[in-house]
Amino acid sequence: MEPSYIFLTMAVTLLSMPATGFGQGTTRVGFYSKTCPRAESIVKSTVESHFRSNPAIAPGLLRMHFHDCFVNGCDGSVLIDGPNTERKAVQNSLLRGFDVIDEAKAKLEAACPGVVSCADILALAARDSVVLTKGINWKVPTGRRDGKVSLRSEAANLPGFTDSIESQKQQFARFGLNTQDLVTLVGGHTIGTAACLVFNYRLNNFTNGGPDPTINPSFLPQLRSLCPQNGNNFRRVDLDTGSANKFDTSFFTNLKNGRGVLESDQKLWTDASTRTFVQQFLGEKGVRKLNFGKEFAKSMVKMSNIGVKTGSNSEIRRVCSAIN
């Protein structure tokens, strides 16, 4: 899929609505057009620079945006450093890209001090990451403010890699995201990797000493060779085998073929309530076809409006990683 700049009709509708979840703020496209006209281009060039030397930064930034939004809303709280912050939670221990956001923020502070929020930088960087991996482009609504609170304990609310589909649906529903949004946003795993430690339990001792039966037997030797017992638990493995650096639908093809790396991902195919959406993204006969790129853009706009902060419970941080 080649990048194409699309302003989606649904996105227009969403931009005129209050942010979903528990926030009361609103966002709009072009929020910085007068106060910091180069804001988006500065973020884009910074992400591009890091991507050229390390393509893994793209899925890292996309994942960081998810993790930010699912804890107290999209308020940049995951960026705050300190011993008891979200950033130090085990669920966020493998996040990458903090240096990219800090660099973009430093450039923005030089260009227009105290104007652009860290939360908006992260939302823009996530979009730019998708584009750099040959995915769709979309207009990101901005105008978020940064939250003042970041608590390590609250990261426990993030979806986990062993969660059932029912649990995942409930977690997404808390923020106004439906089952289609769930499947679509998890589809972001079309780029990126996972450490062996988050799935190697599926390979040998899942049930009665054997592997997870939902893993295709022909795929099992490959995973075992990458993550042998007593091997390096931090070795990174592609979440979308054969297409980890391109934003496309092959991730869903792999799920259909029993080649999902994470247990929670593979359940998107084994559970009937989510399988239909996977089939729609794959354009299978007998189901209404959905365009993954366009639907991903819609769901990202929807998700990025979770819990937008306003007023005294928010600020525009001068340093995104400011110690809390």
Side-chain angles (χ1 to χ4, degrees):
M1 183 193 312
E2 293 300 318
S4 59
Y5 209 88
I6 297 177
F7 189 13
L8 299 161
T9 303
M10 188 170 190
V12 177
T13 303
L14 287 165
L15 296 183
S16 64
M17 296 170 59
T20 56
F22 42 81
Q24 296 180 1
T26 57
T27 58
R28 60 180 172 83
V29 170
F31 183 84
Y32 298 111
S33 59
K34 293 183 179 179
T35 55
C36 191
R38 294 181 53 232
E40 294 199 25
S41 63
I42 288 173
V43 174
K44 179 182 178 182
S45 63
T46 305
V47 175
E48 287 176 341
S49 175
H50 283 264
F51 180 80
R52 282 194 293 269
S53 58
N54 179 21
I57 206 64
L61 291 168
L62 182 59
R63 182 172 178 237
M64 190 188 295
H65 185 42
F66 288 148
H67 281 225
D68 183 39
C69 292
F70 270 74
V71 180
N72 286 328
C74 308
D75 65 350
S77 56
V78 74
L79 302 168
I80 299 174
D81 207 355
N84 294 308
T85 60
E86 294 170 38
R87 184 165 169 170
K88 290 300 190 287
V90 63
Q91 294 88 346
N92 292 327
S93 61
L94 300 178
L95 288 182
R96 294 170 291 175
F98 293 103
D99 55 332
V100 181
I101 303 301
D102 285 339
E103 183 178 323
K105 179 61 171 174
K107 292 177 179 177
L108 286 164
E109 285 299 304
C112 34
V115 174
V116 183
S117 70
C118 299
D120 275 345
I121 295 172
L122 187 49
L124 292 166
R127 185 271 312 275
D128 295 337
S129 296
V130 172
V131 175
L132 286 168
T133 51
K134 307 302 181 185
I136 197 169
N137 201 340
W138 68 93
K139 293 189 176 182
V140 176
T142 46
R144 299 165 190 79
R145 290 174 62 83
D146 298 319
K148 295 181 177 181
V149 178
S150 182
L151 297 175
R152 182 175 185 167
S153 60
E154 292 185 341
N157 295 324
L158 287 164
F161 51 84
T162 63
D163 288 348
S164 67
I165 291 299
E166 191 57 37
S167 175
Q168 292 181 63
K169 288 194 291 189
Q170 289 174 2
Q171 289 169 316
F172 275 65
R174 286 192 302 131
F175 303 115
L177 301 172
N178 59 31
T179 303
Q180 180 178 318
D181 293 317
L182 162 64
V183 178
T184 305
L185 292 171
V186 172
H189 286 169
T190 179
I191 55 175
T193 59
C196 291
L197 63 87
V198 300
F199 68 86
N200 56 9
Y201 68 92
R202 302 181 67 206
L203 308 183
N204 301 290
N205 301 310
F206 189 79
T207 54
N208 299 321
D212 183 340
T214 64
I215 300 176
N216 188 320
S218 66
F219 187 43
L220 193 58
Q222 181 178 342
L223 289 178
R224 283 174 168 167
S225 67
L226 292 169
C227 298
Q229 286 185 299
N230 303 315
N232 179 7
N233 278 336
F234 293 96
R235 181 174 183 175
R236 310 294 302 191
V237 174
D238 293 343
L239 285 170
D240 185 5
T241 305
S243 183
N245 297 314
K246 186 177 181 182
F247 204 94
D248 56 21
T249 59
S250 64
F251 170 75
F252 295 115
T253 300
N254 279 328
L255 298 186
K256 177 183 177 181
N257 295 329
R259 297 168 69 86
V261 174
L262 300 182
E263 181 185 351
S264 55
D265 286 356
Q266 188 58 52
K267 287 174 179 174
L268 295 181
W269 179 259
T270 58
D271 190 285
S273 68
T274 49
R275 184 190 305 128
T276 299
F277 295 107
V278 175
Q279 293 172 319
Q280 288 179 295
F281 287 137
L282 292 176
E284 293 193 347
K285 291 182 179 179
V287 296
R288 179 176 62 92
K289 184 175 181 179
L290 287 174
N291 182 295
F292 174 53
K294 291 182 179 180
E295 296 306 321
F296 189 81
K298 293 176 186 178
S299 292
M300 283 293 287
V301 170
K302 195 173 176 181
M303 185 199 75
S304 71
N305 272 331
I306 293 172
V308 174
K309 300 291 192 297
T310 59
S312 60
N313 69 337
S314 63
E315 61 186 349
I316 303 294
R317 287 201 301 276
R318 294 300 184 98
V319 178
C320 292
S321 58
I323 301 294
N324 187 355

